[in-house]
Amino acid sequence: MTGSIEVVYRGIFQKTLGQRITRGIVLAAVKEGKVGISFGRYGDSPERNGIPAKSFAVVADNEEDLQTYLSRYEPTDNDVTVAVDDTLCKGVESWAWYGLQPINKLTQPGGVVLTTSMQSPEELLEDCHRKDTEWSLAVLKGIASFSGLWVYKDDHTDVRVLGAIARLAPHVVKLESVEAAIQDEWQDELKVTSARKAYERVETRKVGPDEGNPEKPYEFQLPKWWEMKEGLVIPGIPVKQDVEGWEGGYRPGRNPTFKKFATRTMRPVIDFEICTKCTLCWLQCPDSCFDVTPTGHYDANMEACCGCGVCEAVCPVEKCVTMVNEAAFGDNASQFEMYEKDTDTYKSWLKGKIEDKVTTDRYHGFQLRGKYEEEVQEIIREVTK
Amino acid sequence: MSVSTKAAPVADQEMLISGCAAIAQALRLSDIDVVTAYPIRPYDTVMQAVAKLISNGELDAEYIVAASEHDQFEIVKHASAVGARVFCGSSGVGWMYAMEAIAVTPALRLPMVALVGNRALDDPGAFGCEHNDALCVRDLGWMLTWVDTAQEALDTALIAYRVAEDRRVFLPCAIGADGAFLTHSEVLVKVPNKEKVDQFLPKYDRGDKLLHPDNPITIAPQVNEDWVMEIRKQNDDAMRRARGVIQEAYRDFHKIFGRQGGNPFVESYMAEDADVILFGQGTLSLPVKVGIRKLREQGHKVGFVRLRWLRPFPTPEVQETLSRAKAVGVIDRDYSFGSPNHGAVLYNELRSALYDLPNRPHVISFICGLGGREVTLDSVTEMSEILLKVAKTGKVEQPNYWIGVRG
Ligand code: SF4
Ligand code: SF4
C-alpha cells in the first residue's frame, strides 16, 4: 500500500513551506511504521518569484513497495494534490515541462485537490480544469501563505495542511501520527492545535467530470532529435504579430511554448481614461507584455504577463495601474477591448476589481512588503481559535 | 589544527535528510577543518547544510567562500598540505572550471575528499544528472566512487576520508552523487555517533609531508623530463595500493557500524544465476531493480551489478560477477563520442576488464538517462529484451543503443 501527496507551491517564497509539508508527511508516516521519501520536482528549478513548483511525499508499507512506486519518478496518481496558493488552480506551467498542466492532472481518480483559499469551492471550480473522472475539491480557509524562503515566517500553513491531509487521506497519514510528528519536529503545542483545527474545519465538495473550467489547456509536442536544429540553435520569435483590425497598433511576437502567466499572483488593471500614454509601462515591462493599441494605449496582455508589478511601480499617473489579486479574474481577456466595447461597463468592472478587498488584497514583491510578518500572529490566532 | 564538535548526538540517530545533508553529517562526524564553498546546483545543497551545522555550533571548521570553483579547490589543496582535513565539491561546469587545480591534486598526494553532484555540462544550460563531469578525473589519479542512496553517501564519505588519508594511498577521492535523484531527496538516514566514527577514522597525519615551519620542505617544484615519469609511477603505485586499503576500510566499517558488509566494489542484485546482466552506477539501480523484479516474475533471468568504485577499477570483482552471464548491458549515464563502437565510458571500461576472460559475455552499450532524463521501467524492459535476444541468438546485431531519446 503506497500513498503520495503532491504539493504545488509558488517558488521561491513558498519553497520552504512546500518542503515542510512533504517532510511532515514522511515523518508522520514513519510514526505508523511506514517508510517514505520527500523530494522536489527538481526540473522546476531554478525557481523564480511566483514560478509554480512541486514537492512530493511518497509513503509505503515497506521499502520494496516504495521503490516500485518511485521507479516512475513523478507520482502521477496522487491521493491529494495541495495548492498552497489558490491562484494555482488556474493551472501550472513550470520550467520542468511544456504547456499548462491542470491543477488536478496528477490527482488520482477520486482523489482530492486541497487549497488554502478565501474563495468558495464554486468560485474555485471556475478556475480548475475539468477532469475525466470524479474528484473532490477541499478548501482550507486562509490566504495564500507568504512565509518566505530563508527567513521563514511561520504562519502554521504547514501544519494546517498536514491536519487537513490526515482528514482527506487517513490511509496516507492519520491525525495522531501527524500530531506526534509535529510535536517531534517543532515542539510546539500551538502548531498541533492548528493541525487539529484544520482537520476539523477543512471542507470538501465532490466534483463531477462535467464540472469545472471547460477550457483545454495548451500543450506542445516536443521535437525528435533529428528534427531539432543542430548547434543549440533556436529559431527567433518574430518581432511582430499581425493582428486583424490593428492598423497603427503593435503586438510584439511572443514565445509560443512558454507563456508564463501561470506565474502570476496579481495582475495589473489599467484605467485607460487617465492614462497619459507616457510609454513607461511599455518600456519597463520586463516581458514585453504591453500591446500598443491603434489608439496608442498600452494594453497589458494577460497571456504573457507574469504579474511582476513593475508597470504599477513605474506608472507616473496615480491610480492608473493597480495590481489586483489574480484570484479575482476568470480569464485572460483584453482589458482594452472591454474598455472600447463599453466604457461604462469597463469603468464599473475596474472599480469593482480594485475595491473588492476581500479577494483582491494579497502579498507581492512590490506590494505590502514586510506586512505579512506583522500579520502572522493575527493569522495564527485565527486558525487556532 | 584542533577541532571540536559541540552538541554531537551520543546515540545513533535517524534523520530525514537529503543525500547532500547526509554528506554534511559525515563531514561533521569527520571533524573537517576547512571547507570551501562556491555555489552551483546541485552540489550547493551540501554547502548550505555545512553552513547550517557550523552556525548551529555542531561543527567547528573554517568555512571559506571562494571567488570561484578554481579558488575553491586551490584553497583546500593548500589547507590539506598544512594538515587540515578538507572538503570541497562542485557540479558540472563548476568542476570543469576548477580542473587545473583538480588535475594536479593527485601528484601532490593531497587526500582531499570532494563531492561531485553530477550535472550535465553547459551549454545547453541544464542541471539534470549526467556523469561526464566527474568522469573527467578518471585518468588523473583521483579515486572515484558513485553512491546510490543517502545512507551510502554518508557511509562512503567516512570511508573516503579513511582511505584517502591512509599513508599508503594519500590520494584525493571524489564521490559522485546523481544530481536531484540523490542530492535533493530526503529519506531516513542512520547517523552514527561520534565515538564510533572516532574509532573508525584516525586523525589526519601528513607526517614528513606536512608543510610547516618545523618541517622545512618544498612542495611541487618545477621539474624536467628526468623526474615526471617517476612521479607518475608513484601515483600508479598508490592507486594500486588503494584497492587493499579500501577493502580494509570496509571491513572495519562493517565491524564498527554494522553496515556496508557486502562487496566494497560492486553490488550484485539477482546476478548469480542471471543469463543477462545490466551494469551501471548511481541511482539508476532503483528502476533497474524494480524492473528486474518484474522480469523475474515473468521467468526472465535478469540481474544487475552496480559498480561502486570506478577508480581503482575492481577488475577481479567485475570479472567474477559477470563471467557467468551470456550478455551484459552497460547503462552509461555519460557519453564518449567517437569511442570504440560509439559506446560510452563505462562500456569501454567494462569491455576492457572482461577481455582476459576465457569465456566472455557479449557486452552491449546503452546510453540512457542523459541530462537528468529518467531511466524508466520501460527503458529497463527495452534494454533487458535486447540482452535476452543476444543471449538467445548469440549474435550482437548492434553494439550500441540510445535508450529514451526522442526520435
Ligand atoms: S505586471 Fe506589468 S510589468 Fe510585470 S509582466 Fe505584467 S504587465 Fe509586465
Ligand atoms: S505608465 Fe501609466 S500612464 Fe504611462 S502609458 Fe503606462 S499606463 Fe499609461
Side-chain angles (χ1 to χ4, degrees):
Chain A
M1 173 75 213
T2 45
S4 67
I5 308 287
E6 166 194 38
V7 179
V8 189
Y9 63 89
R10 291 213 177 266
I12 197 162
F13 47 83
Q14 290 186 326
K15 185 188 176 83
T16 308
L17 173 66
Q19 271 176 353
R20 284 165 77 112
I21 295 169
T22 50
R23 264 184 75 82
I25 289 159
V26 175
L27 290 168
V30 167
K31 297 269 170 216
E32 297 170 22
K34 296 179 187 167
V35 288
I37 181 167
S38 153
F39 59 101
R41 181 71 162 82
Y42 189 74
D44 290 331
S45 308
E47 293 174 23
R48 299 291 184 262
N49 258 3
I51 296 251
K54 291 183 179 186
S55 199
F56 293 97
V58 181
V59 303
D61 290 338
N62 57 59
E63 225 20 89
E64 202 159 293
D65 287 355
L66 186 66
Q67 282 184 3
T68 306
Y69 195 93
L70 286 174
S71 60
R72 66 176 113 167
Y73 298 97
E74 186 177 54
T76 46
D77 55 352
N78 293 286
D79 296 80
V80 182
T81 296
V82 183
V84 277
D85 182 338
D86 58 357
T87 55
L88 290 162
C89 291
K90 296 183 174 203
V92 285
E93 182 195 46
S94 93
W95 288 49
W97 60 80
Y98 286 87
L100 190 73
Q101 202 181 78
I103 189 68
N104 52 20
K105 184 178 175 192
L106 304 186
T107 316
Q108 62 170 247
V112 190
V113 172
L114 163 69
T115 185
T116 50
S117 182
M118 299 304 282
Q119 299 185 72
S120 69
E122 279 60 38
E123 284 170 299
L124 288 164
L125 273 181
E126 286 172 24
D127 294 338
C128 300
H129 290 88
R130 285 188 183 180
K131 198 172 165 70
D132 292 345
T133 60
E134 215 175 62
W135 55 288
S136 295
L137 178 65
V139 181
L140 190 55
K141 206 169 163 206
I143 57 169
S145 171
F146 201 65
S147 43
L149 178 72
W150 298 114
V151 180
Y152 188 76
K153 296 172 277 296
D154 190 356
D155 56 13
H156 288 203
T157 303
D158 48 7
V159 291
R160 295 184 71 219
V161 168
L162 289 174
I165 289 172
R167 170 82 175 277
L168 302 168
H171 56 286
V172 180
V173 278
K174 295 188 184 56
L175 183 63
E176 303 85 76
S177 32
V178 163
E179 289 181 356
I182 294 170
Q183 226 11 309
D184 269 13
E185 181 83 342
W186 293 295
Q187 291 94 39
D188 184 344
E189 200 50 57
L190 204 55
K191 279 181 86 83
V192 177
T193 307
S194 282
R196 205 175 301 134
K197 295 279 177 195
Y199 178 91
E200 290 159 12
R201 287 174 190 169
V202 63
E203 281 178 22
T204 313
R205 174 203 194 283
K206 280 229 176 325
V207 186
D210 53 346
E211 290 180 282
N213 177 358
E215 263 169 28
K216 207 176 140 33
Y218 58 92
E219 47 185 28
F220 305 95
Q221 196 73 40
L222 294 170
K224 304 195 181 341
W225 69 265
W226 43 267
E227 291 171 336
M228 290 161 58
K229 277 188 189 297
E230 292 188 30
L232 302 177
V233 172
I234 302 165
I237 291 163
V239 178
K240 186 185 168 192
Q241 293 178 52
D242 288 322
V243 189
E244 221 181 305
W246 265 50
E247 283 70 38
Y250 189 89
R251 178 175 290 170
R254 297 196 171 100
N255 187 341
T257 53
F258 189 54
K259 303 205 182 211
K260 289 222 307 210
F261 68 77
T263 298
R264 195 166 62 222
T265 58
M266 299 187 87
R267 73 163 68 172
V269 290
I270 295 160
D271 189 344
F272 297 104
E273 297 270 280
I274 57 172
C275 162
T276 61
K277 306 182 183 175
C278 76
T279 75
L280 276 178
C281 55
W282 172 73
L283 273 172
Q284 297 292 329
C285 170
D287 285 293
S288 306
C289 293
F290 283 90
D291 295 342
V292 188
T293 71
T295 55
H297 285 91
Y298 297 90
D299 186 24
N301 190 309
M302 288 302 119
E303 287 285 309
C305 166
C306 66
C308 70
V310 165
C311 49
E312 183 193 51
V314 299
C315 178
V317 180
E318 206 181 332
K319 299 211 167 96
C320 177
V321 181
T322 312
M323 295 301 287
V324 172
N325 189 343
E326 181 62 23
F329 304 91
D331 58 31
N332 285 340
S334 158
Q335 291 171 28
F336 188 76
E337 271 172 29
M338 213 193 313
Y339 168 73
E340 272 216 312
K341 206 161 138 207
D342 185 345
T343 308
D344 288 340
T345 313
Y346 180 73
K347 282 203 309 214
S348 59
W349 176 87
L350 188 67
K351 194 161 174 278
K353 291 299 176 200
I354 295 170
E355 286 177 0
D356 174 13
K357 291 294 174 199
V358 184
T359 50
T360 58
D361 248 11
R362 73 167 285 160
Y363 301 88
H364 189 272
F366 282 90
Q367 278 209 338
L368 311 174
R369 188 188 274 162
K371 200 167 149 225
Y372 196 68
E373 204 154 2
E374 294 164 20
E375 288 184 5
V376 161
Q377 287 319 314
E378 184 49 42
I379 292 171
I380 293 174
R381 243 192 314 280
E382 191 64 33
V383 298
T384 50
K385 212 164 49 197
Chain B
M1 204 166 285
S2 82
V3 156
S4 69
T5 57
K6 277 185 270 168
V10 179
D12 284 9
Q13 231 193 340
E14 270 205 318
M15 298 169 88
L16 183 64
I17 48 177
S18 68
C20 275
I23 295 263
Q25 286 297 329
L27 301 177
R28 171 180 68 77
L29 292 164
S30 307
D31 259 356
I32 56 160
D33 301 311
V34 177
V35 56
T36 52
Y38 191 82
I40 184 166
R41 201 182 302 252
Y43 137 84
D44 57 355
T45 317
V46 77
M47 180 181 132
Q48 291 158 9
V50 171
K52 217 178 235 175
L53 288 174
I54 293 176
S55 75
N56 288 350
E58 294 177 63
L59 169 66
D60 181 6
E62 289 293 333
Y63 186 99
I64 301 170
V65 180
S68 70
E69 287 91 351
H70 187 274
D71 285 14
Q72 232 190 318
F73 282 85
E74 276 300 336
I75 293 165
V76 284
K77 246 170 67 186
H78 289 79
S80 180
V82 299
R85 177 169 288 163
V86 298
F87 175 79
C88 197
S90 197
S91 287
V93 286
W95 177 249
M96 305 302 276
Y97 184 50
M99 196 48 71
E100 190 236 1
I102 290 171
V104 298
T105 307
L108 303 176
R109 311 297 292 279
L110 298 168
M112 137 196 336
V113 171
L115 171 76
V116 190
N118 297 122
R119 167 177 172 161
L121 299 173
D122 308 8
D123 296 327
F127 31 77
C129 170
E130 230 174 54
H131 290 171
N132 281 80
D133 51 2
L135 284 173
C136 281
V137 299
R138 178 185 64 150
D139 303 332
L140 303 178
W142 277 73
M143 292 181 287
L144 197 44
T145 170
W146 253 273
V147 292
D148 176 22
T149 62
Q151 185 70 61
E152 196 180 26
L154 186 150
D155 294 351
T156 305
L158 297 175
I159 290 166
Y161 276 113
R162 160 110 171 217
V163 175
E165 291 174 2
D166 190 295
R167 290 184 63 85
R168 293 165 288 176
V169 179
F170 267 168
L171 287 174
C173 181
I175 302 169
D178 289 355
F181 303 120
L182 176 58
T183 55
H184 282 60
S185 299
E186 293 187 318
V187 289
L188 279 188
V189 174
K190 291 192 181 69
V191 181
N193 74 41
K194 183 78 177 67
E195 287 70 37
K196 280 190 195 166
V197 174
D198 288 345
Q199 255 181 64
F200 173 73
L201 184 62
K203 289 225 171 315
Y204 171 38
D205 178 9
R206 270 194 84 65
D208 59 357
K209 289 191 214 13
L210 183 73
L211 190 63
H212 191 274
D214 295 342
N215 182 43
I217 53 168
T218 294
I219 298 181
Q222 183 74 29
V223 298
N224 59 21
E225 58 273 25
D226 283 345
W227 299 90
V228 179
M229 200 152 167
E230 287 68 27
I231 294 167
R232 299 287 181 249
K233 182 60 195 153
Q234 288 181 331
N235 258 65
D236 173 64
D237 203 39
M239 187 62 91
R240 286 168 191 259
R241 282 192 301 261
R243 181 181 158 81
V245 177
I246 291 171
Q247 284 168 328
E248 262 174 47
Y250 276 85
R251 208 163 48 230
D252 287 356
F253 192 96
H254 180 60
K255 244 186 259 158
I256 297 170
F257 302 96
R259 287 193 302 275
Q260 305 294 348
N263 191 307
F265 298 107
V266 289
E267 180 201 349
S268 129
Y269 183 77
M270 299 198 187
E272 292 71 24
D273 66 336
D275 293 329
V276 302
I277 295 179
L278 286 161
F279 181 86
Q281 59 183 8
T283 56
L284 61 82
S285 83
L286 186 138
V288 171
K289 284 177 184 172
V290 174
I292 286 177
R293 287 203 283 270
K294 293 202 165 149
L295 287 158
R296 284 263 170 182
E297 275 169 25
Q298 297 157 19
H300 302 298
K301 286 191 174 171
V302 185
F304 173 58
V305 171
R306 180 170 66 90
L307 186 69
R308 303 174 76 190
W309 287 81
L310 180 72
R311 286 291 179 272
F313 193 90
T315 309
E317 285 76 7
V318 162
Q319 288 180 339
E320 156 58 25
T321 46
L322 300 179
S323 61
R324 288 177 298 279
K326 296 196 184 85
V328 174
V330 183
I331 310 175
D332 267 288
R333 212 166 206 154
D334 60 80
Y335 45 83
S336 177
F337 300 125
S339 65
N341 282 344
H342 301 279
V345 177
L346 269 192
Y347 162 75
N348 278 302
E349 292 264 330
L350 183 82
R351 258 188 12 134
S352 156
L354 298 182
Y355 187 80
D356 294 324
L357 282 179
N359 296 309
R360 304 186 280 274
H362 291 293
V363 184
I364 311 289
S365 151
F366 296 117
I367 292 175
C368 191
L370 296 187
R373 184 152 309 168
E374 294 93 347
V375 178
T376 62
L377 282 184
D378 286 346
S379 309
V380 175
T381 309
E382 188 183 344
M383 293 186 282
S384 302
E385 278 168 1
I386 292 169
L387 292 179
L388 288 164
K389 194 170 166 212
V390 170
K392 201 167 144 205
T393 60
K395 271 209 267 323
V396 175
E397 279 167 22
Q398 191 179 323
N400 163 268
Y401 295 82
W402 281 63
I403 304 291
V405 67
R406 271 197 313 277

